[in-house]
């Protein structure tokens, strides 16, 4: 059986043999005419057919009135006709067998016209890039299907952009800088094909080594994250996003909401997906240049070699801003440098080898840095001075770094005096930049790429503490709040929801009068905190609704009366139900933290951690991560805050219980995974000390989730579906586990395929295959558990997991059907492994509400044919290859 090893379904956009240009014209300024001209000028070697009923020829080529008037087969349609005509053109394309179209036309703001566009495309299975786009470029195929004035050089970068104007500017800039592209795609309004699918294609595109993106907004976060995660596993992805300082569209009501804007969430999404972010076009190409060089780092310790102290200071300043560590030189390195350099050298990092530095000094200093175990990368800078020989110093620098796996970055400052040296770096494949700041930026992207790839490999499950959770109880509390037409839970309700997920809280007692408040205080014990109880007040402290450290019975009575009076005066329309009373929790060694959740419109629940207390919006000390979390992600979050330094031994305070803090964050992650109603959540403060963690105050805002949503559909990252793990025993007593595949299964997946017989490999892949390529391995193990599912059967041998079978489905672009594949290790045939795997696969597809499952099986593979017939599949010969049977099952 085969799957994934064939051509990607978007291939016809980038490797067409024939193209139809609708709207082609000789008229000056014609968009269709410019596209046809660009196709011809680029030297496209396939067939190009102008389509326009008003012309018999265009630019000297025969022109067809439409596809039905004798036009030959077409792989790709480029449509540049008025918007109102595009649905009919798509209908024409569909009837002629065209399945890929780039819609250049603009003017689809009208929802009715846009609906007609998508309806016709869906009816005929035509995939669309656009509308309102510049088009696309594919240099290996000499394909320039744009109306831009520039054609890209051939190279190994891919560019995806929502802005056609920016595409033309970047291509023009790159041409002048000698930078080339494999692919350029302007996606425009992205009403059909979006970033996620294009990233999925580029992930395994042999012509592309690095991917650059310009993003303005995301329509389908799940698709975006899935494509981005697959692509980033295989090659560097660098993103520039417009609107960095734009706040979230809605008015935030929580502390967390006030701190977290949409751009912060996008940053967290990129980090989780393994991509890196640039903020300018210069930085975009700096990152691409260094990441594309193939160098990688395991740390952020940088050495700087310079012949000008000022350059070193500039580099150190930028490094401090970026969190790059200027590592101390090892004793051995200091000794070597002391021997080779003048006595006046800096004796520190940056390594100032003085203004009269020779090529030999550069060679020695760089060689020492590249071999120092305390250094992860080296930046070498030069300022041209009277005695400087830039080209000789460049050659010595390149020579001294040969054979090292560490990255070498160069920065030769100046113009004509250093142009020859820069050309030498380029020809030697050494990244070179024009300023210290850009050089440091580039190294930071290398470090961020390494760090973010570690986050990419994390696939947390949805429930870390399943036995402790009362999910149904939490939902009942929230359902009752919504039934009362409220969205803001009271403090007591919020804490009850947290308690349902095993998070320790202080216990509030309701009081509806001064006497009840006194009874509550005496019951819980002094001193107490008294807080207003109102379904309409989000921040109690802003209206005088909080009194802390109340110590006597008289103070309780007075506080009650005074509080209600003050709150009523400041919030006259708020409903006041009384107060809550709880014992003060202020441990001697406690640190106040904030744990929060906001639900981003695109990426779903985002969890924040940072400094808590009444001044959180002043300190703005927080780190974000998309749910779900695990220990690795949580540790990364904590370390990215300034608060992290206060959680250890600090000014005589013992370190806090890090395990307890981690548990709270894990349980909050579980909460937002399982309860899609959560719109906002604040635990502020969460007090942590050496004995544990307790939520002192909490507030939750809820909403009704979209009706009919699938489990976890509110999240951009699907949790690991641990509920699909099953266990069974073979008649001989062998224990077998069937579970969804994980990224860390790459090694056992590779071993499994290597162990298959040649016949089994051929039956599975329908081609000669010795082992999985790195691209295939990523495809098979890095899945999103939504559009794709894979189950592996494993057993243990000598204390290690051994894969003995795998079944997978991939959802087709129609969103309703899927294609399956199955293979079982030769030694395990006939023992029910395949049936178990397929049943799990069918059950998962049904839960995903897919309607049809199908797959291709070689006619000579009788065992597989018998297996699927036994599972209720029907068989028919393939229309394309009579040696293949197509197995289908209605789900």
């Amino acid at each position: 059986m085969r799957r994934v090893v064939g051509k990607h379904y978007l291939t016809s956009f980038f490797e067409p043999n024939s193209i139809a240009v609708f709207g082609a014209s000789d008229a000056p300024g014609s968009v269709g005419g410019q596209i046809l001209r660009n196709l011809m000028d680029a030297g496209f070697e396939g067939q190009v057919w102008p389509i326009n009923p008003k012309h018999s020829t265009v630019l000297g080529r025969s022109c067809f009135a439409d596809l039905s008037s004798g036009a030959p087969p077409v792989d790709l349609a480029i449509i540049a006709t008025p918007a109102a005509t595009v649905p009919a053109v798509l209908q024409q394309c569909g009837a002629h067998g065209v399945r890929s179209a780039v819609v250049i036309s603009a003017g689809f703001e009208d929802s009715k016209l846009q609906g007609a566009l998508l309806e016709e495309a869906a009816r005929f299975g035509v995939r669309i890039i656009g509308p309102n786009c510049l088009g696309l470029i594919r240099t290996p195929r000499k394909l320039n299907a744009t109306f831009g004035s520039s054609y890209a050089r051939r190279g190994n970068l891919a560019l995806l952009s929502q802005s056609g104007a920016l595409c033309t500017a970047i291509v023009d800039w790159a041409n002048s800088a000698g930078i080339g592209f494999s692919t350029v795609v302007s996606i425009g309004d992205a009403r059909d094909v979006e970033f996620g699918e294009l990233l999925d294609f580029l992930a395994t595109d042999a012509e592309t080594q690095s991917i650059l993106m310009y993003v303005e907004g995301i329509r389908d976060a799940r698709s975006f994250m899935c494509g981005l995660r697959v692509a980033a596993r295989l090659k560097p992805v660098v993103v520039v996003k417009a609107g960095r300082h734009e706040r979230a569209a809605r008015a935030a009501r929580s502390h967390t909401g006030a701190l977290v804007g949409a751009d912060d969430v996008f940053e967290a999404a990129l980090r989780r997906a393994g991509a890196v972010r640039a903020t300018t076009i210069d930085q975009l190409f700096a990152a691409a240049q260094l990441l594309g060089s193939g160098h990688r780092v395991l740390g952020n310790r940088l050495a700087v070699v310079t012949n000008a102290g000022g350059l070193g200071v500039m580099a150190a300043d930028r490094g401090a801003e970026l969190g790059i560590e200027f590592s101390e030189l090892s004793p051995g390195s200091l000794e070597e440098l002391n021997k080779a350099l003048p006595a006046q050298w800096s004796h520190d990092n940056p390594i100032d080898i003085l203004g009269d530095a020779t090529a030999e000094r550069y060679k020695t200093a760089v060689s020492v840095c590249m071999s120092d175990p305390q250094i992860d990368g080296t930046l070498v800078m030069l300022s041209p001075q009277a005695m400087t020989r830039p080209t000789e110093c460049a050659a010595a620098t390149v020579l001294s770094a040969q054979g090292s796996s560490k990255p070498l970055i160069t920065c030769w400052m100046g113009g004509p005096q250093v142009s020859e040296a820069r050309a030498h770096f380029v020809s030697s494949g050494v990244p070179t930049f024009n300023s210290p700041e850009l050089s440091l930026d580039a190294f930071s992207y290398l470090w961020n790429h390494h760090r973010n790839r570690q986050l990419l490999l994390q696939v947390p499950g949805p429930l870390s503490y399943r036995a402790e959770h009362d999910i149904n109880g939490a939902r009942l509390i929230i359902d009752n709040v919504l039934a009362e037409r409220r969205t803001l839970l009271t403090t007591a309700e919020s804490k009850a929801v947290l308690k349902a997920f095993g998070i320790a809280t202080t216990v509030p007692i309701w009081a509806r009068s001064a006497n009840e408040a006194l009874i509550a205080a005496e019951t819980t014990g002094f001193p107490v905190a008294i807080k207003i109880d109102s379904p309409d007040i989000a921040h109690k402290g802003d209206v005088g609704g909080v009194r802390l450290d109340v110590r006597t019975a008289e103070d309780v009575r007075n506080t009650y009366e005074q509080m209600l009076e003050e709150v009523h005066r400041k919030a006259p329309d708020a409903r006041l139900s009384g107060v809550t009373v709880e014992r003060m929790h202020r441990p001697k060694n406690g640190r106040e933290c904030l744990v929060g959740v906001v639900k981003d419109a695109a990426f779903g629940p985002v969890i924040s951690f940072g400094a808590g207390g009444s001044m959180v919006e002043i300190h703005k000390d927080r780190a974000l991560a998309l749910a779900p979390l695990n220990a690795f992600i949580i540790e990364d979050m904590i370390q990215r805050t300034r608060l992290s330094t206060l959680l250890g031994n600090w000014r005589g305070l013992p370190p806090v219980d890090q395990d307890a803090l981690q548990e709270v964050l894990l349980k909050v992650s579980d909460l937002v995974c399982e309860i899609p109603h959560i719109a906002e959540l604040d635990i502020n403060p969460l007090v942590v000390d050496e004995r544990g963690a307790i939520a002192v105050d909490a507030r939750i805002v809820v909403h009704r989730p979209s009706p009919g949503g699938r489990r976890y559909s509110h999240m951009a990252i699907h949790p690991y579906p641990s509920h699909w793990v099953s266990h069974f025993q073979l008649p001989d007593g062998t224990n077998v586990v069937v579970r969804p595949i994980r990224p860390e299964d790459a090694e056992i997946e590779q071993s499994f395929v290597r162990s298959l017989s040649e016949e089994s490999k051929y039956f599975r892949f329908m081609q000669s295959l010795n082992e999985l390529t790195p691209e295939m391995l990523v495809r098979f193990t890095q899945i999103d558990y939504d559009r794709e599912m894979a189950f592996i059967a494993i057993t243990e041998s000598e204390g290690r997991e051994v894969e003995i079978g795998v079944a997978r489905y991939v959802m087709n672009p129609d969103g309703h059907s899927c294609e399956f594949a199955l293979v079982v290790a030769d030694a395990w045939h006939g023992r029910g492994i395949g049936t178990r795997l397929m049943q799990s696969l069918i059950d998962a597809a049904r839960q995903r509400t897919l309607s049809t499952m199908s797959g291709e099986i070689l006619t000579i593979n009788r065992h597989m044919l018998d297996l699927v017939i036994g599972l209720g599949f029907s068989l028919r010969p393939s229309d394309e290859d009579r040696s293949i049977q197509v197995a289908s099952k209605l789900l």
Side-chain angles (χ1 to χ4, degrees):
M1 305 193 58
R2 66 181 176 186
R3 178 58 199 168
V4 182
V5 295
K7 286 186 176 181
H8 195 279
Y9 59 86
L10 295 183
T11 299
S12 56
F13 281 103
F14 305 102
E15 298 180 10
N17 292 314
S18 55
I19 299 174
V21 181
F22 288 83
S25 169
D26 290 313
S30 161
V31 171
Q34 184 63 45
I35 293 169
L36 181 61
R37 190 173 292 107
N38 284 347
L39 285 166
M40 295 165 61
D41 290 347
F44 178 66
E45 295 172 353
Q47 297 295 321
V48 180
W49 308 105
I51 309 291
N52 192 326
K54 298 179 180 179
H55 300 277
S56 58
T57 62
V58 175
L59 298 179
R61 291 176 175 250
S62 297
C63 182
F64 293 87
D66 53 42
L67 289 182
S68 63
S69 57
V74 171
D75 295 323
L76 175 65
I78 312 295
I79 303 174
T81 63
T85 68
V86 173
V89 172
L90 287 173
Q91 184 180 32
Q92 189 183 142
C93 288
H96 198 69
V98 183
R99 294 295 176 259
S100 302
V102 179
V103 180
I104 307 292
S105 316
F108 289 89
E109 294 79 9
D110 178 73
S111 59
K112 190 172 182 180
L113 184 57
Q114 186 183 120
L117 169 86
L118 297 177
E119 183 180 338
E120 290 301 323
R123 185 155 72 98
F124 290 98
V126 180
R127 302 308 308 275
I128 295 173
I129 290 178
N132 188 24
C133 70
L134 177 74
L136 62 86
I137 293 172
R138 180 71 165 174
T139 57
R141 297 300 299 268
K142 301 179 182 178
L143 170 62
N144 182 9
T146 74
F147 60 93
S149 58
S150 297
Y151 181 52
R153 290 171 176 261
R154 182 166 182 176
N156 55 30
L157 293 176
L159 171 64
L160 305 179
S161 173
Q162 280 177 300
S163 167
L166 194 69
C167 274
T168 59
I170 289 177
V171 168
D172 191 52
W173 180 90
N175 283 339
S176 65
I179 296 171
F181 295 90
S182 64
T183 309
V184 178
V185 184
S186 161
I187 71 171
D189 292 344
R191 294 297 172 183
D192 181 28
V193 176
E194 295 188 75
F195 279 121
E197 293 178 278
L198 291 166
L199 286 165
D200 192 70
F201 169 81
L202 292 171
T204 53
D205 176 33
E207 302 290 345
T208 300
Q209 292 183 13
S210 302
I211 302 170
L212 312 182
M213 299 174 65
Y214 170 77
V215 179
E216 293 175 353
I218 300 299
R219 193 183 308 278
D220 185 341
R222 178 69 68 81
S223 171
F224 176 77
M225 290 297 287
C226 176
L228 189 57
R229 286 161 66 88
V230 170
R233 279 287 301 274
L234 292 166
K235 51 196 67 171
V237 182
V238 188
V239 183
V240 168
K241 183 181 183 296
R244 289 184 295 119
H245 301 294
E246 183 179 340
R247 302 300 292 175
R250 59 175 174 75
R253 297 181 64 191
S254 68
H255 286 302
T256 304
L259 286 170
V260 177
D263 192 67
D264 303 301
V265 176
F266 188 81
E267 181 88 33
L270 292 185
R271 184 182 301 112
R272 186 69 173 272
V276 296
R277 184 174 185 180
T279 56
T280 68
I281 300 303
D282 278 347
Q283 291 176 347
L284 182 75
F285 281 101
Q289 184 180 352
L290 191 53
L291 289 167
S293 68
H295 287 296
R296 298 294 179 263
V297 295
L298 299 177
N300 69 336
R301 302 169 301 176
L302 183 69
V304 174
V305 177
T306 177
N307 71 338
L311 294 183
V313 172
M314 293 171 69
D317 283 343
R318 185 58 178 158
E321 293 171 357
L322 296 171
I324 294 172
E325 179 183 346
F326 276 46
S327 48
E328 293 186 6
L329 300 168
S330 67
S333 294
L334 285 169
E335 185 178 347
E336 286 189 58
L337 292 172
N338 282 330
K339 290 178 181 178
L341 300 179
Q344 296 81 13
W345 81 277
S346 61
H347 298 278
D348 201 358
N349 182 15
I351 303 166
D352 184 354
I353 58 176
L354 307 179
D356 61 347
T358 62
E360 190 62 29
R361 277 191 217 167
Y362 270 97
K363 181 179 179 181
T364 300
V366 173
S367 178
V368 167
C369 292
M370 298 301 276
S371 60
D372 191 324
Q374 295 181 189
I375 293 173
D376 298 306
T378 303
L379 166 62
V380 188
M381 299 192 292
L382 178 144
S383 172
Q385 301 179 40
M387 64 292 292
T388 307
R389 297 182 180 275
T391 304
E392 290 182 13
C393 293
T397 296
V398 171
L399 185 64
S400 62
Q402 288 179 352
S404 174
S405 61
K406 296 178 183 178
L408 172 69
I409 306 169
T410 62
C411 174
W412 261 223
M413 296 283 288
Q417 293 185 66
V418 299
S419 58
E420 185 179 347
R422 286 181 183 154
H424 182 73
F425 287 134
V426 171
S427 64
S428 302
V430 174
T432 187
F433 303 99
N434 297 331
S435 70
E437 293 84 358
L438 202 55
S439 304
L440 268 294
D441 289 344
F443 183 77
S444 76
Y445 296 134
L446 203 59
W447 164 240
N448 288 335
H449 181 252
H450 167 74
R451 186 174 58 185
N452 293 353
R453 278 177 61 85
Q454 308 312 303
L455 294 173
L456 168 63
L457 297 175
Q458 309 304 309
V459 186
L463 292 174
S464 307
Y465 297 88
R466 179 183 294 272
E468 297 181 17
H469 298 335
D470 182 5
I471 299 172
N472 191 50
R475 285 180 176 154
L476 288 174
I477 292 170
I478 292 170
D479 287 343
N480 182 67
V481 169
L482 292 171
E484 294 179 3
R485 298 187 176 181
R486 292 190 287 126
T487 57
L488 177 64
L489 275 65
T490 65
T491 300
E493 289 167 336
S494 296
K495 288 186 175 181
V497 170
L498 296 182
K499 289 280 286 183
F501 276 79
I503 299 171
T505 72
T506 54
V507 180
I509 301 176
W510 271 304
R512 302 292 179 264
S513 67
N515 280 336
E516 287 185 4
L518 175 57
I519 293 169
E522 295 289 357
T523 300
T524 192
F526 289 99
V528 297
I530 302 177
K531 304 172 185 178
I532 198 70
D533 183 29
S534 169
D536 304 316
I537 298 174
H539 296 300
K540 299 178 283 291
D542 294 347
V543 294
V546 178
R547 298 287 194 279
L548 303 178
D549 216 25
V550 181
R551 292 183 171 273
T552 68
E554 292 80 3
D555 286 344
V556 170
R557 284 173 173 274
N558 293 336
T559 297
Y560 181 91
E561 300 296 348
Q562 293 168 6
M563 179 180 289
L564 261 67
E565 181 182 344
E566 181 179 358
V567 172
H568 181 68
R569 185 174 70 254
K570 292 181 176 179
D573 297 327
R575 292 169 289 173
L576 306 182
S577 306
V579 302
T580 59
V581 180
E582 55 192 77
R583 186 180 180 88
M584 285 290 298
H585 182 81
R586 192 173 284 169
K588 176 183 176 182
N589 300 324
R591 281 76 139 184
E592 291 189 339
C593 307
L594 166 69
V595 175
V597 175
V598 291
K599 192 168 192 176
D600 182 74
F603 292 98
V606 184
I607 300 172
S608 65
F609 170 79
S614 60
M615 299 182 71
V616 292
E617 292 169 28
I618 303 297
H619 297 309
K620 294 185 178 179
D621 178 29
R622 80 286 186 275
L624 310 181
L626 271 61
L629 307 182
N630 66 4
F632 185 95
I633 298 167
I634 289 170
E635 180 64 24
D636 177 76
M637 286 178 70
I638 294 172
Q639 291 304 314
R640 286 189 284 117
T641 65
R642 297 189 300 275
L643 176 66
S644 63
T645 60
L646 310 182
L647 300 178
N649 286 302
W650 183 73
R651 292 190 177 180
L653 298 181
V656 304
D657 185 343
Q658 291 274 0
D659 290 340
L661 175 58
Q662 185 177 111
E663 282 189 16
V664 170
L665 285 161
L666 284 171
K667 290 172 180 176
V668 167
S669 175
D670 291 348
L671 170 59
V672 299
C673 286
E674 295 302 315
I675 309 290
H677 308 68
I678 304 296
E680 297 175 14
L681 181 152
D682 273 347
I683 303 175
N684 182 33
L686 175 76
V687 178
V688 190
D689 62 11
E690 72 277 15
R691 294 175 296 176
I694 187 165
V696 173
D697 202 358
R699 60 179 299 281
I700 295 175
V701 177
V702 295
H703 65 170
R704 292 191 184 278
S706 302
R710 300 184 307 277
R711 192 179 188 188
Y712 308 128
S713 62
H714 63 296
M715 306 174 68
I717 300 175
H718 197 295
Y720 179 76
S722 53
H723 59 285
W724 284 116
V725 178
S726 62
H727 304 257
F728 68 97
Q729 194 174 75
L730 297 177
D732 64 0
T734 302
N735 293 312
V736 178
V737 177
V738 172
R739 61 166 173 79
I741 204 164
R742 299 186 299 239
E744 56 264 40
D745 291 324
E747 184 178 345
I748 63 171
E749 175 83 352
Q750 183 70 280
S751 297
F752 168 71
V753 172
R754 284 173 180 161
S755 69
L756 294 174
S757 67
E758 292 304 314
E759 181 183 60
S760 291
K761 289 177 184 176
Y762 185 71
F763 283 168
R764 166 60 179 89
F765 300 104
M766 297 188 185
Q767 65 182 54
S768 178
L769 181 76
N770 292 324
E771 63 177 42
L772 300 178
T773 65
E775 292 80 8
M776 293 170 68
L777 203 55
V778 169
R779 285 268 187 215
F780 287 168
T781 58
Q782 179 81 57
I783 64 174
D784 68 353
Y785 307 112
D786 181 38
R787 296 180 304 169
E788 184 174 3
M789 177 61 79
F791 288 95
I792 58 173
I794 57 173
T795 187
E796 281 201 7
S797 175
E798 299 179 352
R800 299 181 62 187
E801 286 188 337
V802 177
E803 183 178 333
I804 58 175
V806 58
R808 70 179 62 245
Y809 75 69
V810 177
M811 190 170 70
N812 291 319
D814 62 16
H816 304 295
S817 63
C818 64
E819 188 174 342
F820 77 92
L822 168 70
V823 63
V824 176
D826 295 78
W828 296 82
H829 286 182
R831 304 176 70 177
I833 306 297
T835 300
R836 289 273 190 170
L837 285 166
M838 283 299 297
Q839 194 58 62
S840 292
L841 202 67
I842 291 167
D843 291 345
R846 282 174 174 157
Q847 189 177 90
R848 180 60 179 79
T849 67
L850 297 177
S851 59
T852 308
M853 178 179 285
S854 63
E856 296 182 346
I857 307 173
L858 286 169
T859 303
I860 58 175
N861 191 354
R862 289 308 314 171
H863 292 299
M864 189 65 68
L865 294 172
D866 291 342
L867 186 151
V868 297
I869 290 171
L871 289 168
F873 283 77
S874 61
L875 300 176
R876 64 169 178 81
S878 168
D879 295 332
E880 299 175 358
D881 188 340
R882 306 302 287 182
S883 69
I884 293 173
Q885 294 287 317
V886 178
S888 300
K889 180 180 177 69
L890 293 176
L891 301 174

